Every structure is written in C-alpha cells, then in structure tokens.
Amino acid sequence: MTSSGTKPRALAYALVATAVAVIATASAGCGAGPPRQHGVTGPTATGTADFAGPVDIGGGRKIYLRCRGSGGEGAVPGGAGPGGPTVILESGLHDSSDTWNVTDVKPPVPKAPAVFPGVAAFARVCVYDRPGTLRYTEPPALTTRSTPVTGTRSLSAMTSDLDKVLTAARVPGPYLLVGHSFGAMITRNFAQEHPGKVAGLVFVDGFGTDLKELFGKDWPAYLRLLNNPGTAFDSDPGFEKVDIDGAIRAIGAAGPLPKVPLAVLSKTEPFATAPGAPKELLARLEGAWPQVQRSLVELEPQTPQFLATGSDHYVQVHDPDLTISAIRLVAGRSVRPPR
C-alpha cells in the first residue's frame, strides 16, 4: 500500500493559511503506483492511459502534469463515467502536487487510497506542479519537474498556467476543480474566467477573499508569514510567492461563478504551527477561519459543508476518504455545460 514501511513525519512549515504539516513521501504511494513517464514535447493527456510528464506551455516553459483513471459507466450517479467531468486537483500555496498522494490518518479513517488514486477509480483526474512548490521528499525540495519562475506571481498568471497546461495537453473538459487552501483562489478564478469549462467546484479548507477584512490591522503581518513562512527555501528566488492582495482584488473584479455544484470541506482542529509563530496572529486566524468557510458555503445555494472532525488544514491528507466522497458527490451533481 505504501512505497516503504516508514511512517509519515510532519515537518513544520508556515504555508498558505498558516504553518502546515509537510508529509514525507514514505507513505505517498497509498496505492498510486509509479506513473508512466513521457519525455516528449507537446504530449496529450487524452484517453484513459496513465500519463505523467512535462507539458510545453510556450514561452520556453514546461509544467509537469500527471493524469490517471477513466471512470466507468455508471460509476458516479449523474454522469462521472465516460463523458463526465475531468477532476483537477489544485494544491495550496507552496505545495506541489504531492499533497494529493500522501495520507496521514488515524482510525477509523482508512490508510488508502490517497485522494489522487481514489478519485482515479471513478473519474479521469489530473494534478500538476506549479513552479517553485515543495516536493514531499526527504528532505523536502523545490520541484524540478516544472520550469522555475522568479518573482511574485499574480493570481491571473497562475490561473493562466492552469488553462495553458490543460489546453496544451488536450485534457478533456468540462472540469471539476478541487482547490486546497490558496488553491481554492486559483480554481475560483479559473471558474470565473472560463465558466463554460467548469462543471463543479470543491473547496478543501479554502482560502477566502474576506480573510483580509477579518484580519484588520494584522493583515500585513499575515501576508509576510504567507510568503516567508520560515522554510529553508524562503530566500530561493524560485520559491513560490504570490501577490495575495492582488489575488483578492482579482476575484472581486472577475465575473460571477458559473452555476455549478459546489462543496466545502473544513477543518476542525488548529493549524499546525511552526516554532516561534506569533501566537496573537494565529489566534486571529483561528477566529476568522470559520467565517471564511461559511462565506465559501454561501457562494452557491444548497452547498454542503463537510466538517473534517479531527483534521487540521490538510483535510485531503488526514481525511482522504471524506475528500474523495465530496468530489464524488459534486461529480454526481454536475451537468456537462452546453458546447
């Protein structure tokens, strides 16, 4: 079930919404198995075969993409078999796609499968590495699978990268977008910019635009924590850093979300914190986070909110079965947008 017998070890990193636990790859397999590598330019992720490799998105850049699964006729009520949505898993700030292939669970939550292989059992599912994100290796390292990018990135650039890699690899839509933490901002903006390509949304303890207002005068300090979380990579010019204020403005300026099914998964336990993290700042974060989650629920009518009891911010790692079930639910509710 795993690539070795080593138990996952949490390494404290202050990431998108606070310090979070980065899990070593020892348990990353969880039934996923090694991907088939494609060392070609301009590959395609169409069809049902496993796919993993660099995708040329133009401008001298490549992005690592991995796809698996095909679903099955009737596998998901409502049409997540052939012709159903392709699930796209979007990681949080600083996280590579590895986050969807690890688990760190306690009974009664099963050890396997992790989210990526679990979703592949009933749908086509893809993950990718944003440049400058952390691999869950031992020791942790920045991904070398996608072309590095320096400087602070805008939300529009990140959303554009997602569209470019899906288009260049010819990943069939419509897409069911699953965003963890700040990844929810990317998937939300993608849905605003490309409403005809989106069949559903799942926010996994997602970052929300109202967090700035809820933080008040402490917001600048929180922004410093987000982009300089205290990792060994903070000063690396290729380490992912984002214009958070600009991202919030971009969401507000973009069009409305498409009328698609939505689900929200939310943590119940405190954020995992790095030593020395400012206690007052973290207390403000914990107080604001439930309201952020409620605001996400209110984006669309009849949006279910699943409380991941016992889980911290990494719901997909600690409650992979709950995450998979929420994705299956939204897939079942989704309807292919008209062409």
Side-chain angles (χ1 to χ4, degrees):
M1 301 299 290
T2 62
S3 55
S4 76
T6 307
K7 185 178 180 180
R9 180 168 63 88
L11 305 172
Y13 287 108
L15 297 181
V16 58
T18 186
V20 297
V22 175
I23 312 298
T25 52
S27 291
C30 294
R36 192 175 79 193
Q37 298 295 326
H38 296 246
V40 297
T41 300
T44 175
T46 59
T48 60
D50 289 0
F51 168 87
V55 176
D56 190 333
I57 65 166
R61 296 179 55 210
K62 295 181 180 180
I63 289 181
Y64 173 82
L65 177 73
R66 182 182 178 190
C67 297
R68 182 178 175 185
S70 61
E73 194 68 51
V76 176
T86 299
V87 178
I88 309 298
L89 305 176
E90 182 74 55
S91 301
L93 187 63
H94 309 312
D95 271 338
S96 72
S97 58
D98 290 344
T99 186
W100 303 101
N101 272 299
V102 298
T103 63
D104 183 16
V105 303
K106 296 179 181 179
V109 180
K111 293 182 178 179
V115 173
F116 180 76
V119 174
F122 62 85
R124 187 69 167 166
V125 58
C126 300
V127 294
Y128 72 108
D129 281 3
R130 296 193 310 272
T133 50
L134 287 164
R135 293 295 317 280
Y136 285 20
T137 51
E138 183 57 44
L142 295 186
T143 184
T144 59
R145 302 187 297 190
S146 295
T147 305
V149 175
T150 58
T152 302
R153 307 206 71 199
S154 67
L155 181 65
S156 62
M158 300 169 85
T159 303
S160 177
D161 276 1
L162 175 56
D163 187 47
K164 286 177 181 177
V165 72
L166 295 177
T167 301
R170 302 196 293 278
V171 176
Y175 307 120
L176 195 170
L177 303 172
V178 183
H180 172 240
S181 200
F182 188 80
M185 294 283 282
I186 301 173
T187 57
R188 183 174 173 180
N189 188 236
F190 185 98
Q192 291 174 307
E193 297 293 340
H194 307 281
K197 296 182 179 181
V198 177
L201 293 161
V202 177
F203 296 145
V204 183
D205 215 41
F207 189 102
T209 56
D210 53 340
L211 191 59
K212 178 178 181 178
E213 181 180 354
L214 293 168
F215 254 97
K217 64 181 179 61
D218 293 325
W219 180 248
Y222 182 58
L223 291 185
R224 290 192 293 272
L225 178 65
L226 292 182
N227 277 319
N228 298 279
T231 76
F233 308 98
D234 283 15
S235 60
D236 190 312
F239 184 54
E240 182 178 66
K241 296 189 178 183
V242 179
D243 177 6
I244 305 293
D245 277 334
I248 292 173
R249 290 193 299 270
I251 293 291
L257 285 174
K259 298 299 181 182
V260 295
L262 171 67
V264 173
L265 291 90
S266 307
K267 73 179 185 69
T268 63
E269 299 303 306
F271 289 99
T273 58
K279 293 182 179 180
E280 291 184 3
L281 195 63
L282 295 174
R284 176 65 68 91
L285 176 64
E286 294 292 352
W289 202 250
Q291 179 55 49
V292 170
Q293 299 304 293
R294 174 49 51 185
S295 295
L296 294 176
V297 171
E298 292 171 353
L299 288 174
E300 291 292 336
Q302 291 190 282
T303 293
Q305 181 181 19
F306 301 96
L307 298 180
T309 306
S311 176
D312 67 13
H313 185 51
Y314 273 60
V315 175
Q316 74 274 41
V317 173
H318 301 299
D319 279 289
D321 58 340
L322 180 64
T323 307
I324 293 166
S325 295
I327 295 169
R328 183 186 285 269
L329 173 70
V330 172
R333 290 183 172 186
S334 68
V335 176
R336 178 182 289 275
R339 293 186 180 275

